[in-house]
Amino acid sequence: MAETEVAQVRFGIVGCANIVRKVARAINLAPNSILHAIASRSIDKAKRFASDNGLDPRVKIYGSYDQLLDDPSVDAVYMPLPTSLHVHWAVMAAQKGKHVLIEKPTTLDVGELDTILEACQSNGLQFMDGSMWLHHPRTVKMKEMLFDSKLLGDVNYIYSTSTTSASPEFFENDIRVKGNLDSLGALGDLGWYCLGAVLWAKNYQLPTVVTALPDVTTNSDGVIISCSASIQYKEPSSSGATTNAIIHCSFLADTSMDLTITGSKGSLNLNDFIIPQRESSASFEFTLGAKFVDLHIGWNVKPKRVVVNCDELPQEGLMVEEFTRIVAGIRTTPGVLPDPKWPEISRKTQMLVDAVKKSVDLGCKPVYF
């Protein structure tokens, strides 16, 4: 291995899901990481994946997850397994001293996630979930404007969607609609982003009550394939305002990734918050002090389009860079501890997912925090 690679965090990827192509690219694009190994339950599948995706021939290929976790050269794992398998393999990874970057949803419920987090914490390891959009510079810019009291003001309303029109083959074969593999369905796969966006807009304050709306659609396996929910913050802000949010996630509608945040003074809108329409730049609209003109035949202002460049790395590369920056610090600097910010974000998001699922199971009754 070249001298410049010694300080790099060496990743092992546990599984060969489609998302691995994107994250493997990100690992190799990020300046402080390298893809060291990949594993599947079948050595033939792992070899085929490596060949089909042009992986560096130096990448080790394993025919079992255990073999990868036993590799002493692996510093961290990326885990895109079916959600039902996360707790077993993430805990095992932590017990073997591997930092954990895991796909969302993190687990089937917060109890399982706590088991993973305890294993990571007790071994001094970093945990992060794969919510890439949080690492985009556009998200950083929106956060700056969102919490500038002279701009948006107190957040009153949040609306977020994540939808995709899935194919018949998806409904027949995909793990995300199989009750024994990924029982959260669209709520876990897509709703994770929407609920995370609500928490992000409220600076990770937990709501007062969560209620699933009565538009829930499930498949024959009982897996949610479409649902909506109301999230309410009943404690008033300094101005006396409360916050209401509506989220919608579905495998049955055309692609959408909408996020709208309305405050007492302005509003923020974008329709690609999860995956920007362009990799190299992204934008959002911000409207401040909008009023109707005379006779209510128009508006007095037009939305301002804010463009944020993302030239150096795509958002998934920035996610890997941040994760490995923390990991490298833990490895090389005595006394440096894992960053608790990322496990906390994951845990609160999982709590909201759990609340929506519980409300669905209760016939759309409110679930209080």
Side-chain angles (χ1 to χ4, degrees), residues 12-53:
I13 297 180
V14 182
C16 293
N18 283 335
I19 188 68
V20 171
R21 296 181 300 155
K22 184 175 185 177
V23 177
R25 171 177 175 257
I27 289 169
N28 288 327
L29 284 174
N32 48 356
S33 61
I34 189 169
L35 180 56
H36 173 79
I38 188 166
S40 176
R41 291 172 297 174
S42 158
I43 188 68
D44 290 337
K45 182 178 179 181
K47 287 180 177 178
R48 186 167 59 252
F49 182 91
S51 174
D52 290 348
N53 292 282

Side-chain angles (χ1 to χ4, degrees), residues 28 52 61 95 162 166 171 200 210 230 263 269 304 322 330:
N28 288 327
D52 290 348
I61 300 172
Q95 290 172 343
S162 181
F171 287 115
W200 172 83
V210 171
S230 165
N269 298 274
K304 178 183 178 182
E322 171 64 6
I330 296 168

Side-chain angles (χ1 to χ4, degrees), residues 193-206:
Y193 294 115
C194 303
L195 295 166
V198 172
L199 286 167
W200 172 83
K202 290 295 291 181
N203 207 22
Y204 293 97
Q205 174 189 351
L206 288 171

Side-chain angles (χ1 to χ4, degrees), residues 7-142:
Q8 290 182 311
V9 173
R10 293 162 295 194
F11 266 92
I13 297 180
V14 182
C16 293
N18 283 335
I19 188 68
V20 171
R21 296 181 300 155
K22 184 175 185 177
V23 177
R25 171 177 175 257
I27 289 169
N28 288 327
L29 284 174
N32 48 356
S33 61
I34 189 169
L35 180 56
H36 173 79
I38 188 166
S40 176
R41 291 172 297 174
S42 158
I43 188 68
D44 290 337
K45 182 178 179 181
K47 287 180 177 178
R48 186 167 59 252
F49 182 91
S51 174
D52 290 348
N53 292 282
L55 297 187
D56 191 306
R58 292 175 296 177
V59 173
K60 292 187 176 182
I61 300 172
Y62 293 115
S64 76
Y65 304 151
D66 292 284
Q67 288 178 315
L68 185 146
L69 296 182
D70 285 334
D71 186 336
S73 295
V74 172
D75 303 309
V77 294
Y78 167 63
M79 195 166 291
L81 299 173
T83 308
S84 60
L85 302 181
H86 282 182
V87 65
H88 173 81
W89 290 108
V91 168
M92 185 172 291
Q95 290 172 343
K96 293 180 182 290
K98 317 300 186 187
H99 301 267
V100 177
L101 175 60
I102 201 166
E103 258 313 314
K104 32 58 55 186
T106 55
T107 49
L108 296 176
D109 58 57
V110 75
E112 287 189 350
L113 178 56
D114 283 343
T115 301
I116 296 174
L117 297 183
E118 171 58 30
C120 289
Q121 184 176 12
S122 62
N123 288 284
L125 301 166
Q126 185 63 46
F127 175 93
M128 182 185 287
D129 77 60
S131 297
M132 302 172 186
W133 76 278
L134 292 174
H135 302 269
H136 198 287
R138 174 177 63 179
T139 306
V140 176
K141 181 63 176 179
M142 290 192 298

Side-chain angles (χ1 to χ4, degrees), residues 260-301:
T260 295
I261 304 169
T262 304
S264 55
K265 299 178 182 179
S267 63
L268 182 154
N269 298 274
L270 61 161
N271 59 10
D272 61 348
F273 85 96
I274 301 167
I275 302 174
Q277 293 170 357
R278 294 180 59 192
E279 186 174 74
S280 59
S281 67
S283 65
F284 62 96
E285 289 188 342
F286 188 83
T287 306
L288 183 63
K291 304 288 183 182
F292 298 130
V293 298
D294 190 31
L295 300 181
H296 287 200
I297 57 173
W299 292 35
N300 65 329
V301 294

